[in-house]
Amino acid sequence: MSLRIVVTVKYVPDATGDRHFADDLTVDRDDVDGLLSELDEYAVEQALQISENSDDDVEITVLTVGPEDAKDALRKALSMGADKAVHVEDDDLHGTDVIGTSLVLAKAIEKAGYDLVISGLASTDGTMGVVPALLAERLGVPQVTLLSEVSVEDGKVTGRRDGDAASEQLEASLPAVVSVTDQSGEARYPSFKGIMAAKKKPVESWDLSDLDLEAGEVGLEGAWTKVESATARPARTAGTIVKDEGEGGKQLAEFLAGQKFI
């Protein structure tokens, strides 16, 4: 038997960089370095662990939607151990919101073929965390989300979801969509051998026409949400210094009370 796993990943702006909006109020991705979303590394790791623990032949495909530079995210996942990659790139995708992104991903997943889709908890730029549920709805398959432990056996995916008060053991028949949290296991670092091997692994490039999608279904034109305005974060101001000349405690209490902290 064989098991086809598709891992959805995202190329995001580096959170330590100076991120801001472009003139059209979309995220300016040209003036900041990008990388594979850290939370998606956990999804790649879980796919690799499923493969290593399976008696079946497992094929892992990493899938992303994004600009040319998004290939860097795919290469990182391939160097970790994924088998192949699919990159959906089209100028008309600029400004696509989460609804449009889920549509593109679902079409690409169907075209690639799958038994299991694995996503991270959320992207580190949008942080919405709703793509797995949207994918399951579009694909018409079960969803088992926010797992801190996941395994596949006998045509079923099982996992543990940890809540504040209890843990749940969940399962679903394949095909299915799952998402994993950052508690599912530390993602491995790519080895030198893995980095070199990634250069020879196949990366397919698809555009909207390959997925039978029209430009009006995605991008800013097809977005269900719109940013009306954005204001740059104000520069940090100097804090208040309380000099202790015998009245420091009192002044500190007055300051905290004035700010309604106490």
Side-chain angles (χ1 to χ4, degrees):
M1 295 180 63
S2 62
L3 176 67
R4 299 166 298 171
I5 300 177
V6 176
V7 184
T8 60
V9 300
K10 190 175 183 182
Y11 181 73
V12 299
D14 189 341
T16 63
D18 182 19
R19 296 173 294 174
H20 55 274
F21 287 105
D23 292 339
D24 61 359
L25 296 180
T26 61
V27 177
D28 189 340
R29 300 179 183 273
D30 294 330
D31 292 340
V32 62
D33 292 333
L35 72 169
L36 170 62
S37 178
E38 180 183 357
L39 294 174
D40 289 341
E41 293 185 18
Y42 295 97
V44 177
E45 176 62 31
Q46 287 308 303
L48 295 171
Q49 289 192 25
I50 290 171
S51 177
E52 292 166 353
N53 295 326
S54 177
D55 294 329
D56 298 330
D57 293 327
V58 180
E59 180 182 69
I60 301 173
T61 302
V62 285
L63 165 65
T64 196
V65 177
E68 173 66 24
D69 290 344
K71 283 187 171 65
D72 292 343
L74 295 176
R75 290 298 179 192
K76 172 71 178 291
L78 291 172
S79 67
M80 290 173 66
D83 300 304
K84 62 181 184 177
V86 173
H87 180 200
V88 181
E89 179 188 8
D90 197 299
D91 289 342
D92 289 323
L93 286 168
H94 175 73
T96 301
D97 65 358
V98 67
I99 302 297
T101 297
S102 68
L103 173 62
V104 176
L105 286 172
K107 290 286 190 179
I109 289 167
E110 290 177 328
K111 182 177 174 66
Y114 73 102
D115 299 297
L116 178 66
V117 179
I118 305 180
S119 298
L121 170 66
S123 64
T124 54
D125 55 352
T127 64
M128 294 187 68
V130 297
V131 165
L134 291 171
L135 284 179
E137 176 66 20
R138 290 190 183 280
L139 296 171
V141 300
Q143 57 169 308
V144 187
T145 56
L146 305 177
L147 300 181
S148 53
E149 183 181 276
V150 60
S151 61
V152 175
E153 190 175 3
D154 297 330
K156 295 181 179 180
V157 56
T158 61
R160 189 184 77 244
R161 178 190 294 155
D162 296 324
D164 293 335
S167 293
E168 301 172 292
Q169 197 69 26
L170 307 169
E171 75 172 31
S173 298
L174 298 179
V177 174
V178 304
S179 68
V180 298
T181 72
D182 55 357
Q183 302 301 309
S184 58
E186 185 175 352
R188 68 193 67 187
Y189 289 102
S191 64
F192 177 76
K193 181 179 179 181
I195 293 172
M196 297 305 294
K199 297 179 179 180
K200 298 180 180 180
K201 293 180 179 179
V203 178
E204 292 190 57
S205 294
W206 297 343
D207 59 18
L208 292 178
S209 64
D210 292 315
L211 303 177
D212 295 324
L213 290 173
E214 300 293 334
E217 298 178 82
V218 296
L220 287 174
E221 182 180 348
W224 288 34
T225 58
K226 179 181 180 182
V227 178
E228 295 288 350
S229 64
T231 304
R233 179 187 300 168
R236 295 183 63 178
T237 58
T240 300
I241 299 176
V242 176
K243 293 184 178 181
D244 188 5
E245 297 178 349
E247 296 286 329
K250 180 180 179 181
Q251 293 180 55
L252 180 58
E254 290 175 348
F255 172 79
L256 293 175
Q259 299 296 317
K260 297 184 179 180
F261 292 140
I262 58 175

